[in-house]
Amino acid sequence: MKCSVYIATSVDGFIAKKDGSVDWLHTAGKPDVKVDTGWDDYLVSVDCLIMGRSTMEVISAMNLTAEQWPYGDMRIIVLSNTLKEAPENMKDRVEMYSGDIGALIARLESEGHQHAYIDGGATIQVFLNLGLINKMTITRAPVLLGEGIPLFGKASKEIKLEQAKATAFANDFVQVTYLVNYQ
């Protein structure tokens, strides 16, 4: 099963402020300049989403309407060792999972899933350390936050990123896509 990342960071590598907010993404660069960063094409390429509890909580706090919900009817699994039930506004949208990541991937694959979107800093780090991420698309917003929640934490070993493809957008965001090589 293929696992990939599609995420935005500040230029200094943060995916959110310390309080988990991502409001800076909507004001960075030139917000009035609309660009196609490939998000819609990416979403069509995946058939399930695996995210961490903190990411789910940020999305839950947005209290999105059905029209605002970006994931359509995609299957969404939320990883948490502490939370057993999703918040009320997320109950019909996500399923909770606690346990072995390898077993989860094997189960999803046996159920016919072929490509998982992995989201959330800690979750991405776990998947990288398990050697499960195949491709990463990182879009850098032209802002320095100075502190916050970093995309990357401690790696269990050196991980090579290869075949970089970079695109600069008219709104001053820069996107780089890498294939991941664990050797």
Side-chain angles (χ1 to χ4, degrees):
M1 180 175 190
K2 180 178 174 183
C3 295
S4 64
V5 171
Y6 191 103
I7 198 162
T9 71
S10 61
V11 170
D12 50 355
F14 298 107
I15 57 174
K17 291 181 179 175
K18 284 181 105 172
D19 65 1
S21 67
V22 292
D23 55 339
W24 52 273
L25 272 174
H26 306 291
T27 58
K30 299 173 184 165
D32 54 320
V33 176
K34 302 299 177 210
V35 298
D36 179 3
T37 62
W39 169 250
D40 292 335
D41 290 339
Y42 177 74
L43 270 188
V44 170
S45 77
V46 298
D47 55 21
C48 64
L49 165 57
I50 302 169
M51 69 172 66
R53 176 192 48 82
S54 295
T55 302
M56 179 201 59
E57 288 174 344
V58 168
I59 294 169
S60 175
M62 293 177 187
N63 221 4
L64 302 173
T65 65
E67 295 78 31
Q68 295 169 315
W69 185 250
Y71 308 112
D73 60 358
M74 182 184 308
R75 183 176 184 185
I76 301 173
I77 296 97
V78 176
L79 306 178
S80 178
N81 291 322
T82 57
L83 195 62
K84 300 303 174 204
E85 284 191 25
E88 196 60 42
N89 66 344
M90 299 289 280
K91 280 189 177 173
D92 294 336
R93 295 178 169 171
V94 303
E95 56 190 88
M96 304 301 294
Y97 180 83
S98 175
D100 182 73
I101 299 300
L104 172 63
I105 294 300
R107 187 182 91 206
L108 290 171
E109 199 168 28
S110 74
E111 293 170 356
H113 292 284
Q114 297 176 2
H115 185 182
Y117 165 23
I118 311 303
D119 197 15
T123 302
I124 291 167
Q125 197 65 48
V126 167
F127 274 69
L128 281 169
N129 283 331
L130 291 171
L132 295 172
I133 302 290
N134 306 95
K135 184 177 181 181
M136 289 197 302
T137 300
I138 303 168
T139 305
R140 299 239 185 236
V143 62
L144 297 170
L145 295 178
E147 63 180 356
I149 300 168
L151 172 55
F152 299 112
K154 185 176 180 179
S156 58
K157 67 176 188 172
E158 184 176 300
I159 300 168
K160 293 186 179 236
L161 305 177
E162 302 177 335
Q163 298 182 34
K165 292 180 186 163
T167 305
F169 296 104
N171 64 352
D172 291 336
F173 284 58
V174 176
Q175 185 176 82
V176 183
T177 300
Y178 301 99
L179 294 183
V180 182
N181 181 348
Y182 298 98
Q183 290 187 345

